[in-house]
Amino acid sequence: MRSALLYLVALFALTPSNLAQAQSAAPLATTPPMGWNSWNWFATTVTDKDIRQAADLMISSGMRDAGYVYLNIDDTWEGQRDAQGVLHTNDKFPDMKALADYVHGKGLKLGIYSSPGNKTCAGFEGSLGHEQQDADLYASWGIDYLKYDLCGFRSYMNQLAPSDKLKQNELMRAAYEKMHKAILKTGRPMVFSLCQYGFDSVWQWAPEVGGNSWRTTGDINPTFDRISLIGREQAGLAKFSGPGHWNDPDMLEVGNGKLTQDENRTHMGMWAMLASPLLAGNNLSKLTPEVTSILTNRDVIAIDQDALGKQADRIYAEGPVEIWSRPLSNGDVALAVFNFGEDETFLRGISLHLDQAGAAHGWKAHDVWSGRNLGKIDNDYKFSLPRHASLLLRLSR
Ligand code: GLA
């Protein structure tokens, strides 16, 4: 409600010419954004060619048709500003407009990256003092998504006395709001993704500054320790998330590093339970059938993308075992049991806690990872979970 009001207020701040365009635009990110981002695999090496290839591979792998539509260029595309302050791309990206046309021609959307500071995390040109100019530039290229990464702005904030945390935080919020207004003024719909690692309980104020999603944590990496730590830390954040504004526990590492099949599934399933943006970050040219099947599993995606947009809560935790559940729009319930522990085969009778999940004895269960219908289920359902594995069920009356 509050974000709808803010949207209206922002609309009235627009000029008549772009007002009509913005008004006609459908609301953004009504379900968590899905796509692929260059950082987790390519980091600083990403080029125009890699992005074009990623576009092709998203189609041939079936990822686009499974819902992954945003193709996001992360940091290191930026060149220098000219005498008028207009930012140019660097040699790796010779023609961003042509690249956007290519990506759009494939039925995908193009995302880009900047920072409210004068420098990005990788030390490239940021948007400080050039917010409107940059937003206009993105719009002229046909950009559909902006990841806005605090980074260089931290040194700007640190010019204030460290004791003045309040002022520092105000400055940070204002910087995000400024870019959001600049985007609105372009009249081009762009998903606005805040990246400031969860500082200042960002989930409490991000929707007010136009955030469609906000990172809740520091950077992910392709180890199960990091992934499970981030996932478990999301407990309690469900109430801040919903259609148009999502908690973002960072991009997917599915298929990266040395993650096992069980670890990839646990990662994917947990992010789906969390109604997280699903931004794959793997090497698309080396997709294995296992990784493709995890990323494109229709049942896990349906949980993530459920129209109700209710993020899961943790309903049970004992040692390495946790149960999370979320209600779904058709009255079903998604329930996940995670074994974050190291035991090779974890086998014991833990109750499924169906009541706490909003389900009940006798509901039917569909096992997302095996694809099997399990029939009627009760709290005593016996199953075994190997190390780092999880059970993901869709329960219906
Ligand atoms: C930060 C972000 C990452 C990535 C890099 C790019 O670390 O959190 O997701 O965008 O910057 O430099």
Side-chain angles (χ1 to χ4, degrees):
M1 180 66 193
R2 194 173 52 177
S3 57
L5 265 175
L6 281 161
Y7 176 71
L8 282 175
V9 170
L11 278 183
F12 285 117
L14 294 170
T15 62
S17 63
N18 53 30
L19 180 64
Q21 210 182 338
Q23 270 174 334
S24 64
L28 286 170
T30 50
T31 62
M34 289 177 67
W36 179 91
N37 172 296
S38 60
W39 187 256
N40 284 354
W41 178 253
F42 286 104
T44 59
T45 69
V46 67
T47 64
D48 172 284
K49 190 165 153 265
D50 297 328
I51 297 295
R52 285 171 195 256
Q53 202 178 29
D56 299 345
L57 291 165
M58 281 169 82
I59 295 165
S60 58
S61 64
M63 282 178 64
R64 182 198 61 186
D65 293 345
Y68 296 83
V69 292
Y70 288 98
L71 182 44
N72 294 348
I73 307 169
D74 209 280
D75 202 354
T76 79
W77 62 267
E78 311 88 340
Q80 300 302 316
R81 294 190 185 276
D82 63 22
Q84 281 69 49
V86 177
L87 184 59
H88 293 263
T89 53
N90 61 38
D91 293 348
K92 298 193 294 151
F93 290 89
D95 187 343
M96 200 62 95
K97 174 80 174 75
L99 179 56
D101 290 346
Y102 184 85
V103 168
H104 290 151
K106 301 275 171 180
L108 296 163
K109 294 171 185 286
L110 188 64
I112 213 163
Y113 166 102
S114 189
S115 170
N118 60 346
K119 292 286 175 216
T120 66
C121 280
F124 287 69
E125 201 61 27
S127 293
L128 183 66
H130 297 275
E131 292 80 1
Q132 192 62 56
Q133 217 168 12
D134 287 359
D136 290 342
L137 182 68
Y138 307 151
S140 76
W141 287 335
I143 297 295
D144 307 294
Y145 183 117
L146 174 66
K147 171 175 172 181
Y148 209 42
D149 188 352
L150 189 68
C151 255
F153 199 76
R154 287 166 87 170
S155 49
Y156 191 72
M157 286 161 64
N158 289 340
Q159 287 170 7
L160 294 174
S163 57
D164 213 345
K165 256 273 145 288
L166 219 63
K167 277 240 169 56
Q168 291 196 1
N169 288 338
E170 273 171 23
L171 212 59
M172 173 171 63
R173 293 184 198 193
Y176 278 98
E177 189 164 29
K178 188 168 191 178
M179 185 48 106
H180 182 242
K181 284 191 171 146
I183 291 171
L184 284 181
K185 214 164 160 203
T186 69
R188 184 175 176 87
M190 287 181 222
V191 170
F192 189 40
S193 150
L194 273 58
C195 174
Q196 47 79 287
Y197 339 112
F199 289 160
D200 188 26
S201 307
V202 60
W203 39 86
Q204 290 182 341
W205 53 268
E208 289 168 33
V209 300
N212 295 118
S213 67
W214 49 86
R215 281 270 297 277
T216 55
T217 73
D219 287 11
I220 198 165
N221 64 45
T223 62
F224 191 73
D225 275 359
R226 183 67 186 145
I227 291 164
S228 54
L229 178 74
I230 289 179
R232 297 169 93 172
E233 275 177 0
Q234 306 306 303
L237 293 185
K239 60 175 174 291
F240 301 104
S241 187
H245 54 279
W246 307 100
N247 288 314
D248 171 10
D250 206 357
M251 304 171 290
L252 293 171
E253 294 281 14
V254 173
N256 284 345
K258 296 198 173 81
L259 297 176
T260 64
Q261 173 96 329
D262 278 336
E263 291 170 340
N264 279 321
R265 284 178 169 175
T266 294
H267 180 15
M268 181 77 182
M270 179 132 219
W271 264 233
M273 290 298 286
L274 294 171
S276 164
L278 295 179
L279 297 170
N282 55 325
N283 180 358
L284 296 175
S285 69
K286 292 266 159 59
L287 264 174
T288 61
E290 291 78 32
V291 169
T292 310
S293 75
I294 292 171
L295 286 172
T296 60
N297 180 302
R298 294 297 196 271
D299 293 329
V300 75
I301 291 173
I303 293 172
D304 180 77
Q305 295 288 300
D306 184 76
L308 198 59
K310 278 234 178 285
Q311 178 177 330
D313 277 315
R314 180 162 61 196
I315 58 169
Y316 169 88
E318 196 191 317
V321 178
E322 296 189 6
I323 304 181
W324 293 61
S325 72
R326 60 177 286 191
L328 302 173
S329 55
N330 68 347
D332 288 1
V333 166
L335 181 135
V337 186
F338 299 103
N339 174 13
F340 295 114
E342 296 303 322
D343 292 350
E344 268 307 318
T345 39
F346 190 87
L347 177 61
R348 66 175 208 199
I350 31 166
S351 160
L352 284 185
H353 290 72
L354 294 174
D355 291 342
Q356 285 94 319
H361 172 83
W363 279 36
K364 284 174 292 178
H366 177 76
D367 182 329
V368 167
W369 293 125
S370 74
R372 282 170 41 225
N373 288 323
L374 304 178
K376 288 189 174 172
I377 203 161
D378 57 38
N379 279 331
D380 297 331
Y381 175 64
K382 293 278 182 298
F383 56 98
S384 90
L385 286 181
R387 153 185 196 271
H388 300 174
S390 45
L391 174 75
L392 182 57
L393 300 177
R394 185 173 181 122
L395 304 168
S396 50
R397 213 176 275 273

